Each structure stands twice: as structure tokens, then as C-alpha cells.
Amino acid sequence: MSPFESSNIDFKSLKKVVGPKSDLKSLSETCVSFANAQGGLIVVGVEDGKLEPPVDQKIEQDVVNKTISRLRDLTDSVGIVNPEIITHENGGQYFKFIIHPSTRTIATTSTGKVFVRVTDNCVPVSGEELTNLAAEKSAFQWELVSIGKVKLKDADINQVTYFVEQIQNSKFVSDFIKEKSNEEILEFYQLINQEGFLTNLGVIWLGKANQRARLSYPLTVQYIVYNDFEEKIRKKDWHFHLHNPKELLIEIEKEAVELNYTTEISSGLFRKQIRNYPKEVIRELLINAIAHKRYTISGDIFIEVYPNRMVITNPGGLPLGITANNILHERHRRNPHLIQTLHDLGLMEGEGSGYDLIYEKLVREIKPLPVIESSINKTSVTVYSGVVDKEAFEILEYISQHFKLSQKEYIVLGLVASDKKILSTQLSLKLQLTTEDRLRSWMGSLLEKSILTSRGIKKGTEYLLNPTLFSQSRLNIAPTLKTIDKEQLKHLIIEYLKYNGERSKQDIHKHIKDVELNDIQKCLYVLVEEGILLPLGGRKNRTYKLAKKK
């Protein structure tokens, strides 16, 4: 038993249901949150983070019966089933029960409150989010429904054989699954139901073209290329339902030649070809579009390629609880069985959305982070081909050859190298982090290895590349004033005004171009406070000059 809570399991202390501190009301909210997502398991009698119940803990059947009865009274449209007392090998006892997902109605508490499970949290839902939840209800269960009543014997036998062979040869699948019969494997992956009919998911993977076409909203894709004037110059579509998801992915990658274009950059005596879009980024975004598409609404997946960017759009907004500002960390699935199948076939990560990989591959080539836009009907992701910052790229190449870093460390390093210096608050924002502690875990050993240096304290902390390291590397990197120390910047401003007389901050910025205007303004404030400079004029037209020495 895993000691950690997740999107489909929750641990509760026995004190939650018995004794003076019992709180069945909050437990009922957890039940509602599971029912409005994909169901789950509640374990009572094991503390969160523990592997086992207390040694001397005993559970009376009457406690279980009263708990289940009371939870049913406190909830509406929540299926609470299979309560069972378990005796752990240490002698202690706990009990567990299953929450079924509510397939057609929104589950609520008896007081009318609505909650949904997002990762390991019970999140309240209200207002506009209720509309999204109602739309998600059918999406949650779409995979398991069998509308066409297609028998397994009527499916494409070649697809059935090929699918089973891939599962049996996959390094991501346990021997326990591989040793099952063909039908048991298909049932395990929810491709057939207990009556032997193909589910909607089964039709997508194993069906014939005419069977896939009879799905309400089958998997269809359009690939469109535009010129500089945003005029269509090439189009390819997949509307004939000839491929399962894996075959379709391979066909798209083969057809989308524009996504394989490269840019040449010089690196010393050599020239290096850099892809406009890293191959791994294309694969992850295509898989995400297929895996998280809402199959209960009409619409194609669109892949639009412009001279400077690629936009992938799929029907349906982001899953409930996921936003553009937390997608790097949240783990919530719309089509969990499809995602599990794609993972076991080696096509995508089992957890999350793969955005950590997307971030890593983009920042390692000093490309902009993806731009994500989502509404109730669609989600689009824009990736820019960008112009590689040659110097920053060489820095990351040098570091990759001399240091072994984690994925998180590479992401942080790429963001710092791209900006030359960055405030901790700005870095946290780009990494979608909420606390300083979490930022430290992403920084890893970058400071200890002297790859990065820091200056300032708390929210004023800045991170920048360590100039000493790169002076030793013999890289041909031009110096920049962007990372200049504040005392050195103050000296430059004083020297400029000494020889040029009264000047505005804009004049100073033109002279010291690499330094951000905001940093110049801060230095001017300090110099005025120290009595070194005199401000003249109003705020809009303010100028500065050296104060006369007394």
C-alpha cells in the first residue's frame, strides 16, 4: 500500500470517524470530490504518510456500518460501496471503502455543496466551474461506454493481435499483466467490457474504419501550413479513421515535414543544426492533444504551422482544476485509461502532462516557454521557433559536458541563462511555484556547484550565471552589463553625469543599454538619498545632476 495520497486514494485517521474529534462532514466532502472525478478509495485508520495502522488498533464492524450509513446521509449521488475491515500484518486494523464516480449527475453534499478531486486535494466548485464540471462528467466516463455494441470478433483482428503483442513486449508493463490471456489484457485496458463488447476506447484502438466513424466524435486531425501573410499553403487531414492513436501519431510526424526544419548556428570552428521545434516537444504536445481531447464534443485537433510558431489546438478546455498557471505541477486526467494505455505503449509519461519535459527541451535551446490558452471548448498551445541565443546556448552546452544535472536544474539554468539574471520572484512565477521552499528544491545544486551565484536577500534575491566559471571555460562570450553589480552601476552613472552634465534616466539608459531601466531607476533613487545626485523637474521630465560637494 502506497503511503501517499493521490488523485484516487485518501488516508484518514480513525479519529476522523470516532471520538470527540470526529468529522464525518469533511469526510463526506472527500467522498463527493471523488464521485465528481474518477472515483477513488478511502482508507480509514492509517495516518497520511504512514505505511500501516497503529499496532493495537482494532475496528468494530458497528463503527464501519455507522460510518457508511452516515456518509450516505450526508451525500447525494455518491456511490459508497465495498466497505471492508483489513487486518495488517502488524496486527493493527483499518477499514476501506470505494467511491464510484457519478456518471450522469453532479454529486453534492446534503447541504448542496460541490467538490472535485484535484491531485490529492478536495477542491470546492461553484459558479462558472459548475458548468465545466457538468461538461466534464460525460468526458470522465466516455472511455468505458459501449454504444455501438461491437463484438470483439467483429473488430479488426490485425489491430487486436498487434495491440496485445505491443503490450507483451513493452518494458513499461509488469509480468503480471503480460501473463494474462488476450481477452484479459484487453479487459484490463478497458478496451472491452465484461459482456465482450468494445468500449469507445476499444473502438479507437481495435475498431475498423467504419466502426470508428460511428463514434459520436471520433479522433480527427488537420495539419495546416501558413506563409508570412498567414495564407494557407498546405493542408493535410486525417478524417477517414484508418489509424489507431499510435499509428495516427506516426503518420502525423511523417507528414509534418515543416516541423523538422532546422536553424544553423556557428559554434567555434563548427556549425550546429538546431531544430526549430525539438522532436520531444512535438511528440509530447501531439500526445497531449490526443490524450486530453474531450471526446464528447465536436471538433478536430488542429496543428497550425506559421513561419515563427506552431499552434496545436484540441477540443475541450483543460481538465477541471488545471490552468495555464499550474500545468507544470498538477496531475489530473480526463481520459485516464487512454493515458494509461499510451504510457504502457511507451508513448507518454504515466503521470502528469509531460510539461516538465517540454520546459526542459525548450529552455536547453533557449527558446520561449509555451503559451497556453484554454476555454470551455478548446485548449491551444503555442510554441515559438525563436532565435537561439548563441551565447546562452554555448553556456548550456558547456555545462552539460562538465556537470550532471537533474531535469529541474536544467530548467532553472536555462531560464537564468536566457535572462542573464532573474529575481527569485520572477523565477518562481515562470516555474509556477508558490513558496520559496519549493524554489530551493528546483535550484538543487546549482549554487553549490558554483554554476549560478545569487545576490540580495528574500524577495530581492537575484540569480545569475557565475562569471568565474565561464571565464575558465574559454568560451568566446562577450561581457554584458546586465549582470553588473549595483555598486559598479552607481559608479558608471556618476561617471556618465560627470562628463555629460544634467541628464534624464532615459539618456543614462541609452548610454548603458544592457542594464534594465528599472535597475537604473533604483540606483538613481539610492544616489539621490545618499546626496550624491540632485533630482530636477517633475516626475515625467525629471533629470539628474551631480550634487556640489560641500
Side-chain angles (χ1 to χ4, degrees):
M1 179 169 57
S2 170
F4 301 110
E5 293 184 349
S6 66
S7 61
N8 57 9
I9 187 169
D10 204 346
F11 294 92
K12 299 295 182 184
S13 168
L14 188 59
K15 296 174 184 177
K16 197 77 170 178
V17 300
V18 294
K21 294 185 178 180
S22 63
D23 188 3
L24 287 172
K25 182 180 177 183
S26 69
L27 185 56
S28 71
E29 293 172 353
T30 301
C31 295
V32 168
S33 72
F34 275 131
N36 280 326
Q38 291 147 8
L41 174 70
I42 294 180
V43 178
V44 179
V46 179
E47 302 286 345
D48 185 24
K50 300 291 184 181
L51 284 168
E52 55 191 38
V55 175
D56 58 350
Q57 181 171 277
K58 302 299 177 185
I59 306 289
E60 298 292 336
Q61 185 64 50
D62 187 54
V63 170
V64 178
N65 294 342
K66 287 182 178 179
T67 299
I68 300 301
S69 176
R70 184 62 181 142
L71 288 175
R72 286 171 176 161
D73 290 339
L74 290 170
T75 59
D76 185 46
S77 298
V78 177
I80 304 174
V81 299
N82 299 342
E84 181 183 5
I85 297 174
I86 306 293
T87 301
H88 192 270
E89 59 186 21
N90 72 355
Q93 291 184 325
Y94 62 92
F95 73 95
K96 63 180 182 178
F97 54 93
I98 293 171
I99 306 296
H100 281 321
S102 57
T103 56
R104 292 181 175 82
T105 59
I106 294 177
T108 70
T109 65
S110 57
T111 57
K113 293 181 179 179
V114 181
F115 299 86
V116 69
R117 189 76 171 179
V118 178
T119 60
D120 59 351
N121 297 312
C122 175
V123 179
V125 179
S126 60
E128 187 177 316
E129 290 179 331
L130 277 173
T131 304
N132 293 341
L133 178 59
E136 287 284 286
K137 296 305 291 183
S138 56
F140 283 143
Q141 299 303 312
W142 175 88
E143 301 171 292
L144 309 183
V145 175
S146 178
I147 296 176
K149 300 298 181 184
V150 178
K151 280 284 189 180
L152 179 58
K153 65 181 179 63
D154 297 322
D156 187 329
I157 188 61
N158 293 324
Q159 293 281 13
V160 174
T161 303
Y162 183 51
F163 180 87
V164 172
E165 287 177 352
Q166 289 181 95
I167 292 297
Q168 291 173 335
N169 293 325
S170 173
K171 64 180 180 180
F172 301 104
V173 178
S174 68
D175 290 338
F176 174 74
I177 302 301
K178 292 179 180 179
E179 291 168 0
K180 291 177 177 288
S181 68
N182 289 2
E183 288 197 10
E184 286 174 333
I185 288 176
L186 299 179
E187 192 170 337
F188 175 82
Y189 286 100
Q190 306 295 333
L191 304 188
I192 60 173
N193 60 22
Q194 292 180 341
E195 289 78 38
F197 292 111
L198 295 186
T199 60
N200 283 336
L201 188 59
V203 172
I204 282 183
W205 281 104
L206 312 175
K208 298 173 182 176
N210 63 327
Q211 293 164 348
R212 292 191 183 113
R214 286 199 291 270
L215 292 173
S216 298
Y217 305 110
L219 180 58
T220 50
V221 180
Q222 292 191 45
Y223 177 80
I224 306 172
V225 182
Y226 297 88
N227 62 16
D228 289 329
F229 302 101
E230 298 197 0
E231 299 167 333
K232 294 180 185 178
I233 57 175
R234 190 164 86 86
K235 179 180 177 181
K236 169 73 177 178
D237 59 52
W238 289 268
H239 283 161
F240 296 104
H241 322 296
L242 301 176
H243 308 290
N244 66 36
K246 181 176 181 179
E247 293 169 338
L248 180 59
L249 177 68
I250 294 170
E251 279 291 311
I252 293 171
E253 290 179 333
K254 186 189 303 180
E255 182 68 29
V257 293
E258 289 81 4
L259 300 181
N260 296 322
Y261 290 172
T262 61
T263 300
E264 185 178 78
I265 65 168
S266 60
S267 180
L269 298 174
F270 305 97
R271 292 191 171 274
K272 192 175 182 74
Q273 298 291 331
I274 304 297
R275 289 177 62 111
N276 289 349
Y277 307 101
K279 185 176 181 179
E280 298 87 349
V281 171
I282 297 170
R283 167 63 66 94
E284 283 296 329
L285 291 177
L286 289 176
I287 282 290
N288 264 313
I290 293 171
H292 296 287
K293 176 184 185 298
R294 186 181 289 168
Y295 288 88
T296 55
I297 63 175
S298 176
D300 295 348
I301 293 173
F302 281 88
I303 306 163
E304 298 171 288
V305 184
Y306 298 85
N308 68 333
R309 68 192 186 279
M310 167 184 69
V311 184
I312 296 182
T313 305
N314 62 278
L318 290 168
L320 195 67
I322 306 296
T323 70
N325 297 320
N326 67 11
I327 197 168
L328 188 58
H329 307 287
E330 291 295 343
R331 303 290 186 260
H332 192 52
R333 305 169 173 186
R334 172 172 289 134
N335 303 304
H337 304 293
L338 174 57
I339 290 172
Q340 181 65 48
T341 305
L342 291 168
H343 166 264
D344 286 2
L345 292 175
L347 297 174
M348 75 179 300
E349 294 183 359
E351 289 294 332
S353 57
Y355 270 83
D356 43 5
L357 176 63
I358 292 170
Y359 269 48
E360 180 198 358
K361 295 303 177 181
L362 290 175
V363 301
R364 286 187 72 158
E365 294 184 2
I366 318 297
K367 295 180 184 292
L369 295 177
V371 177
I372 303 165
E373 297 177 286
S374 179
S375 66
I376 190 171
N377 293 320
K378 67 178 182 179
T379 299
S380 66
V381 182
T382 302
V383 176
Y384 289 87
S385 57
V387 177
V388 175
D389 182 325
K390 179 176 172 292
E391 291 184 351
F393 179 76
E394 286 186 348
I395 288 171
L396 263 67
E397 284 280 284
Y398 171 80
I399 290 173
S400 67
Q401 293 168 10
H402 293 82
F403 296 91
K404 186 175 181 179
L405 301 179
S406 68
Q407 184 182 65
K408 288 182 178 180
E409 289 169 335
Y410 268 120
I411 292 174
V412 170
L413 180 62
L415 293 173
V416 175
S418 179
D419 285 8
K420 300 297 188 288
K421 71 170 182 179
I422 188 170
L423 281 168
S424 62
T425 50
Q426 295 170 334
L427 184 57
S428 293
L429 189 64
K430 289 189 176 187
L431 294 173
Q432 303 179 353
L433 301 174
T434 54
T435 65
E436 190 175 335
D437 289 340
R438 294 190 69 186
L439 178 58
R440 279 197 288 268
S441 73
W442 278 71
M443 294 293 298
S445 61
L446 292 173
L447 293 173
E448 294 173 15
K449 293 176 178 175
S450 298
I451 297 171
L452 297 183
T453 61
S454 65
R455 63 190 186 196
I457 59 172
K458 296 185 178 179
K459 291 185 177 180
T461 302
E462 291 179 328
Y463 296 103
L464 55 155
L465 296 169
N466 183 1
T468 304
L469 175 66
F470 303 111
S471 64
Q472 298 168 353
S473 68
R474 298 182 181 178
L475 292 174
N476 185 25
I477 296 174
T480 175
L481 293 176
K482 193 167 186 179
T483 58
I484 190 172
D485 181 83
K486 287 183 173 61
E487 290 301 317
Q488 293 176 313
L489 178 57
K490 285 163 64 175
H491 179 72
L492 282 178
I493 292 173
I494 292 169
E495 287 296 303
Y496 174 71
L497 294 178
K498 180 179 177 181
Y499 292 103
N500 294 277
E502 181 182 330
R503 287 288 186 270
S504 68
K505 69 178 179 183
Q506 286 78 13
D507 294 330
I508 298 170
H509 185 237
K510 287 177 183 177
H511 178 69
I512 315 174
K513 293 180 180 179
D514 285 352
V515 180
E516 294 177 9
L517 185 61
N518 190 45
D519 288 341
I520 291 174
Q521 182 67 72
K522 288 177 182 177
C523 268
L524 289 172
Y525 284 150
V526 172
L527 289 169
V528 169
E529 286 181 1
E530 292 175 349
I532 298 173
L533 297 185
L534 286 177
L536 302 170
R539 179 173 293 182
K540 287 186 178 180
N541 301 306
R542 182 164 294 169
T543 57
Y544 300 87
K545 71 175 184 177
L546 291 174
K548 293 182 180 180
K549 294 182 179 179
K550 296 180 180 179

